[in-house]
Amino acid sequence: MAWTYLILAGMFEIGWPIGLKLGGIDSVSRLLWIGFAVACMMASGVMLLLAQREIPMGTAYAIWTGIGAVGAFTVGVVAFGDAGTAMRWASVGLITAGIVGLKLA
């Protein structure tokens, strides 16, 4: 169950930068997006707390931030038109390899 919590924590970690990005756009829903970001931060932290009951802190933290970084990067490229150069994708591949390596170790 700890790994499920950790994956969920990583997914919520992807949500808060999205909420902040959309909250930065001048619109009527600005406060809703900022609220979404705060809710994702809180949920991410709670899920990480639960995961660390069984997963070593360093492993959990590295995987949590890795999932958030890879996910936020991917959403940025796909949804917000961020640059998706070969070097950036290769770098994300290295982060992913590190996440997999920590899970297998």
Side-chain angles (χ1 to χ4, degrees):
M1 193 68 186
W3 286 99
T4 302
Y5 289 138
L6 187 55
I7 292 168
L8 287 171
M11 299 306 288
F12 282 115
E13 189 70 2
I14 298 166
W16 72 262
I18 295 169
L20 291 179
K21 174 77 172 178
L22 294 172
I25 298 171
D26 189 27
S27 70
V28 177
S29 60
R30 168 180 274 165
L31 290 178
L32 291 175
W33 283 113
I34 293 172
F36 173 77
V38 171
C40 284
M41 288 177 199
M42 291 172 52
S44 180
V46 169
M47 293 292 119
L48 179 62
L49 177 135
L50 295 172
Q52 288 184 116
R53 290 180 176 171
E54 295 180 31
I55 301 169
M57 181 186 67
T59 301
Y61 181 75
I63 292 174
W64 173 65
T65 57
I67 292 170
V70 170
F73 170 80
T74 303
V75 170
V77 170
V78 172
F80 297 108
D82 295 350
T85 64
M87 184 63 166
R88 294 186 78 200
W89 280 109
S91 297
V92 166
L94 291 171
I95 294 170
T96 304
I99 293 169
V100 172
L102 284 169
K103 169 62 174 123
L104 297 175

